Amino acid sequence: MKKLALISLAFLMLSTVRAQDADQVGWISKFGFAGGFTPMWVIPNFEPLNTVLPNFGVEKFSTSGFVAYGGGGYAYLMFIENVRIGGFGYGGSLNQKANVGGADKEVEYILNSGAFTIEYTLPFIEGVAVSIGAMLGGGTQELKIYSNNSNFTWDGVWNEVSSNGAASNISRTIQNDFFTVTPTLTLDVPLNRFMAFRIGTGYQFSFADEWTIENRKTLNNVPSDLNGDAFFIQTGLYFGLFAF
């Protein structure tokens, strides 16, 4: 009976210590701050743009997306368990070029976005941080369109923009500014206490369909589905203090 009582007492003490350790680990897992560099793969909707590019003489943009580069950071809120806040931004571009009848033609698409981030890290997953969250912010998409014969002179430029001659070199810049709401899912895998590998995904919903051209003049009749909505995958390394 004494042995049984001692074993029971030891088991109870061990269970208590482990429970305390678990509580401590749980508290530590809520702590951390980091920032880093994040290469991304972004997939906007190029279908409305691709319907007009062949008429201009250049190839369509790939609907599989393009590379962008970003960065961000976060810190856990010690007074709200498992919640972290921070910021994130990215930018990228791609273009298509062609020579058509002696004219060099080019279309460049540029997408930039920045946002405030808030995430909740799932507490029942140990060793890594799996977080669901959202980004609230804004961005810009821009189209630059060029058609020129590559022969530029000082006088020629001013002749083209005056009434003295017809323009043979043309450039247009059109732009759309928008607000964003982006649901996200991220996984941070610590490589050590101060460095972690990140992979995540999200879908950027954009709000605002107003486009402008040149010196902020309104551009009408732009297809409504040419917007800042985009699916993305992010990867990268974050540096800071990790205790998952």
Side-chain angles (χ1 to χ4, degrees):
M1 291 293 295
K2 287 183 178 181
K3 288 183 178 180
L4 181 59
L6 289 173
I7 292 174
S8 300
L9 180 60
F11 180 80
L12 178 61
M13 292 176 64
L14 180 60
S15 299
T16 302
V17 170
R18 287 187 174 181
Q20 291 176 346
D21 288 344
D23 290 341
Q24 291 176 356
V25 169
W27 184 85
I28 292 173
S29 69
K30 301 173 181 63
F31 177 77
F33 57 89
F37 173 66
T38 310
M40 303 175 61
W41 189 257
V42 184
I43 308 176
N45 178 24
F46 284 137
E47 290 299 333
L49 185 57
N50 283 342
T51 61
V52 296
L53 291 184
N55 294 333
F56 184 62
V58 300
E59 295 291 331
K60 296 179 179 181
F61 286 129
S62 172
T63 56
S64 62
F66 64 97
V67 175
Y69 298 97
Y74 66 81
Y76 279 91
L77 296 177
M78 298 306 297
F79 53 89
I80 305 179
E81 293 185 353
N82 304 311
V83 174
R84 63 192 190 189
I85 62 172
F88 182 79
Y90 74 88
S93 66
L94 75 167
N95 60 17
Q96 291 286 12
K97 299 179 181 180
N99 186 281
V100 181
D104 293 323
K105 298 194 173 187
E106 179 180 359
V107 176
E108 182 179 18
Y109 176 85
I110 303 168
L111 180 64
N112 298 298
S113 182
F116 164 80
T117 65
I118 182 167
E119 298 173 291
Y120 178 76
T121 302
L122 302 180
F124 51 84
I125 300 178
E126 299 180 0
V128 299
V130 177
S131 304
I132 55 176
M135 300 194 299
L136 307 174
T140 300
Q141 56 176 342
E142 192 173 42
L143 279 171
K144 295 185 176 182
I145 307 166
Y146 307 99
S147 178
N148 59 74
N149 58 19
S150 300
N151 297 316
F152 290 96
T153 65
W154 174 259
D155 292 335
V157 169
W158 290 104
N159 284 334
E160 285 184 338
V161 297
S162 69
S163 59
N164 297 330
S168 59
N169 299 297
I170 301 171
S171 66
R172 293 288 185 269
T173 298
I174 64 176
Q175 182 174 307
N176 167 235
D177 299 321
F178 52 83
F179 298 102
T180 61
V181 177
T182 308
T184 60
L185 174 66
T186 59
L187 169 65
D188 295 308
V189 181
L191 305 178
N192 54 48
R193 284 289 185 182
F194 308 103
M195 183 169 64
F197 171 75
R198 161 172 286 207
I199 185 169
T201 186
Y203 191 90
Q204 176 175 282
F205 293 95
S206 64
F207 302 90
D209 57 2
E210 296 83 9
W211 286 81
T212 60
I213 187 168
E214 305 308 327
N215 54 336
R216 308 300 291 182
K217 299 296 183 181
T218 300
L219 180 65
N220 297 311
N221 300 324
V222 178
S224 60
D225 51 351
L226 183 59
N227 51 45
D229 293 2
F231 173 78
F232 65 81
I233 299 172
Q234 57 168 300
T235 62
L237 290 177
Y238 268 46
F239 302 89
L241 180 60
F242 304 94
F244 301 147

